[in-house]
Amino acid sequence: FERTPVEVLREIIVVDDGSYPPLSETHFPPEVLARFKTRILRHERTIGLIGAKKTGGDAATGDISVFLDCHVAPQPGWHKAFLRL
């Protein structure tokens, strides 16, 4: 979110794959969700990486979806190549 222009970013979808306590209780207070256009989808039990990405992809509303894992930090301008598609 810090490296993506606000006019480009439609939403951030976080899939909580069965963590305890839920991410919504530990990392995402309501003001953060609103400020960064974030939705949290939760699996009650762990489904795994591919299942979590499918859940997020199915819920996405944008024309282009990008999947970033927790260890990925986009670099400045990372989105420009996608916008040329």
Side-chain angles (χ1 to χ4, degrees):
F1 64 87
E2 293 174 336
R3 297 187 179 182
T4 308
V6 69
E7 65 273 7
V8 172
L9 183 64
R10 174 176 285 181
E11 64 188 342
I12 297 172
I13 298 174
V14 175
V15 179
D16 179 343
D17 195 28
S19 66
Y20 183 82
L23 293 174
S24 60
E25 296 176 10
T26 59
H27 290 81
F28 295 96
E31 61 272 10
V32 170
L33 297 176
R35 180 175 175 207
F36 299 108
K37 304 181 205 174
T38 304
R39 289 192 291 151
I40 298 178
L41 307 176
R42 178 165 167 74
H43 294 157
E44 289 302 318
R45 61 180 180 78
T46 301
I47 292 176
L49 179 65
I50 299 305
K53 287 185 178 190
K54 179 167 181 352
T55 296
D58 289 347
T61 62
D63 294 328
I64 298 172
S65 296
V66 178
F67 296 85
L68 302 175
D69 295 326
C70 62
H71 60 277
V72 175
Q75 298 303 304
W78 72 271
H79 65 283
K80 293 178 182 176
F82 290 101
L83 298 179
R84 288 193 300 264
L85 293 175

